């Protein structure tokens, strides 16, 4: 997006797809007596945060949720439509009833498209005992590359597969350190948090 190779952005989609029809073991996530229960509060903050970090506060948004798992009390599907200036539409979706996950990142612009599956490996590597100083930490496996399709001035299509950046959760903690010790501005502002809470707590309006 920063390179300008995609032109003016027209549509962006972030998804968190899983297939887990059984109820989870964490009581607070499955009980509707808790405000923060359900998939919207579980996975929603991750992709809402991505949208806010990239594009800021939307001009307006709509939200819909639904319950699909047997005996579930809480939403296991959410979808947001965010409207931004310059006719940019951003869609954020999460579901626990997707047997064949769709691409997690889809970006369309007036000059091209970028599509990539969810492939971050850090969480599983940490669970498996790998430490962040391991050279393999955060490196996605072969075949995880995104697909970049661009159209040049002669209307010719060009396809490439950019290598993904090495993931590094430590960058977040470095920012916390710099903020606390050196008073460097933290990249997540109070406004970002307010906007996110507003979106999470909104009623369905679709």
């Amino acid at each position: 997006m920063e390179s300008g190779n995609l032109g003016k952005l027209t549509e962006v989609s972030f998804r968190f797809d899983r297939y887990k029809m059984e109820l989870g073991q964490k009581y607070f996530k499955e009980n509707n007596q808790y405000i923060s229960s359900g998939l919207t509060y579980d996975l929603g903050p991750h992709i809402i945060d991505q949208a806010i970090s990239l594009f800021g506060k939307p001009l307006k948004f709509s939200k819909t949720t639904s319950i699909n798992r047997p005996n579930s009390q809480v939403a296991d599907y959410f979808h947001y439509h965010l409207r931004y200036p310059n006719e940019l539409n951003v869609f954020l979706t999460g579901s626990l009833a997707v047997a064949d996950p769709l691409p997690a990142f889809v970006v369309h612009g007036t000059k091209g498209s970028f599509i990539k599956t969810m492939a971050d490996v850090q969480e599983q590597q940490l669970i498996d005992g790998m430490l962040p100083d391991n050279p393999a930490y955060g490196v996605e496996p072969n075949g995880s590359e995104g697909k970049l399709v661009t159209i040049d001035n002669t209307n010719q299509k060009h396809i490439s597969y950019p290598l993904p950046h090495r993931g590094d959760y430590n960058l977040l903690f470095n920012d916390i350190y710099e903020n606390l010790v050196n008073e460097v501005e933290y990249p997540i502002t109070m406004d970002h948090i307010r906007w996110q809470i507003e979106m999470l707590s909104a009623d369905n309006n679709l």
Side-chain angles (χ1 to χ4, degrees):
M1 292 188 294
E2 292 176 348
S3 71
N5 289 336
L6 299 179
K8 184 181 83 70
L9 298 186
T10 59
E11 180 181 343
V12 174
S13 176
F14 297 149
R15 295 187 66 98
F16 236 129
D17 288 335
R18 295 178 175 175
Y19 187 81
K20 292 186 177 181
M21 296 302 290
E22 70 282 358
L23 300 185
Q25 298 300 311
K26 295 180 179 179
Y27 180 77
F28 68 93
K29 289 187 177 183
E30 298 288 0
N31 190 315
N32 60 10
Q33 299 303 308
Y34 292 92
I35 295 176
S36 59
S37 61
L39 190 67
T40 311
Y41 279 89
D42 186 14
L43 298 182
H46 296 294
I47 54 178
I48 292 175
D49 175 66
Q50 291 173 12
I52 290 174
S53 297
L54 288 170
F55 307 115
K57 184 181 182 181
L59 298 174
K60 58 182 179 179
F61 69 89
S62 60
K63 171 189 176 184
T64 185
T65 63
S66 61
I67 300 174
N68 300 289
R69 298 170 302 160
N71 303 315
S72 178
Q73 301 178 9
V74 299
D76 45 42
Y77 170 87
F78 67 82
H79 179 77
Y80 287 90
H81 178 189
L82 284 57
R83 294 296 304 271
Y84 283 95
N86 299 318
E87 302 298 323
L88 171 60
N89 291 278
V90 176
F91 301 96
L92 312 175
T93 307
S95 176
L96 294 180
V98 179
D100 187 14
L102 294 169
F105 307 101
V106 178
V107 184
H108 298 300
T110 55
K111 295 182 179 180
S113 300
F114 179 74
I115 301 172
K116 191 179 186 305
T117 59
M118 180 73 72
D120 184 33
V121 295
Q122 293 176 83
E123 182 175 0
Q124 189 58 51
Q125 287 177 332
L126 293 170
I127 292 173
D128 293 340
M130 182 182 290
L131 296 178
D133 59 359
N134 189 310
Y137 177 78
V139 178
E140 298 180 12
N142 292 334
S144 302
E145 299 84 1
K147 181 179 181 180
L148 176 64
V149 180
T150 57
I151 308 296
D152 65 22
N153 293 333
T154 64
N155 211 34
Q156 296 297 307
K157 181 183 293 187
H158 303 272
I159 300 176
S160 61
Y161 299 89
L163 293 174
H165 294 288
R166 179 176 181 267
D168 188 0
Y169 289 160
N170 288 314
L171 296 176
L172 172 65
F173 300 103
N174 291 342
D175 285 339
I176 294 173
Y177 173 87
E178 290 295 332
N179 176 255
L180 294 176
V181 176
N182 297 318
E183 299 184 353
V184 176
E185 184 178 4
Y186 191 60
I188 301 169
T189 69
M190 290 300 296
D191 280 339
H192 291 172
I193 296 171
R194 292 188 187 98
W195 301 339
Q196 184 172 141
I197 292 175
E198 178 185 353
M199 295 176 63
L200 290 171
S201 59
D203 293 330
N204 282 1
N205 49 15
L206 277 182

